[in-house]
Amino acid sequence: MKFQRKRREKVDITLISMIDVLFVLLLFFMVSTTFNRHTEVKIKLPEANGKEADNHPKSVNVTIDEKGVYFLMSGNEGQSRRLPDQKRETLMRELVRLSQEEKELPFIISADAKTPHQSVMTVLDVAGQVGFDHITFATQESEGSEETDK
């Protein structure tokens, strides 16, 4: 008796459908991810009316929370960091280190609406002593106010 072997078919794995699925997943994650410039420091900015300032990719940001705690972020860093202590000398040392790179960078003070006035004045004074010229304050637009151009 003569047994014949069945011919084996060549098995192919098509990768095109797997690649399609991966691209769809990549697209989904890219769309659903939020890229937020603000960090975990939660502050409520004071309200003001005025035109929006120019957005610079590089700047020095000092964020002050409602308790007067300083957080510092330069244009190179992606995340703000809390200063080790809240002393004036520590703030000055960190700003001097940042100002060695460029003193022409915009200096933005983002203070909570309930921040003690002394904390804001300390940052303003130290920034001026270090040599920053372009100092601005971050605010949010007042709700219920409408601009009228006539």
Side-chain angles (χ1 to χ4, degrees):
M1 194 173 198
K2 191 174 181 184
F3 290 105
Q4 240 180 357
R5 289 188 173 178
K6 292 183 180 180
R7 288 188 180 182
R8 292 187 124 187
E9 292 183 23
K10 191 174 182 181
V11 178
D12 287 336
I13 299 175
T14 57
L15 293 178
I16 294 176
S17 60
M18 285 178 45
I19 292 172
D20 289 344
V21 169
L22 287 176
F23 278 130
V24 169
L25 285 174
L26 179 66
L27 182 67
F28 171 75
F29 287 122
M30 286 175 57
V31 170
S32 65
T33 303
T34 58
F35 297 101
N36 202 352
R37 189 172 158 214
H38 299 289
T39 58
E40 66 275 352
V41 182
K42 300 290 182 195
I43 60 172
K44 182 180 184 297
L45 293 173
E47 297 177 352
N49 294 329
K51 69 175 192 167
E52 190 172 323
D54 296 334
N55 191 7
H56 294 280
K58 286 188 172 184
S59 62
V60 176
N61 295 317
V62 175
T63 304
I64 311 169
D65 69 2
E66 64 183 10
K67 297 176 186 171
V69 178
Y70 303 124
F71 296 86
L72 189 63
M73 181 176 72
S74 71
N76 312 7
E77 303 168 352
Q79 194 173 24
S80 64
R81 58 186 167 81
R82 183 181 178 157
L83 293 182
D85 57 37
Q86 303 307 305
K87 295 180 182 175
R88 180 185 184 97
E89 295 80 23
T90 306
L91 179 63
M92 183 170 291
R93 183 175 56 245
E94 290 295 319
L95 290 181
V96 165
R97 182 183 63 81
L98 288 175
S99 70
Q100 289 175 353
E101 297 171 12
E102 292 182 50
K103 289 187 182 180
E104 297 299 318
L105 289 176
F107 189 89
I108 302 170
I109 300 173
S110 301
D112 191 275
K114 297 178 182 176
T115 299
H117 187 67
Q118 182 60 51
S119 299
V120 177
M121 293 310 294
T122 300
V123 172
L124 190 59
D125 184 39
V126 169
Q129 288 178 5
V130 170
F132 286 101
D133 293 331
H134 307 288
I135 300 173
T136 60
F137 291 92
T139 61
Q140 65 183 3
E141 189 173 337
S142 301
E143 295 178 20
S145 67
E146 295 182 15
E147 291 185 36
T148 55
D149 294 332
K150 293 183 179 182

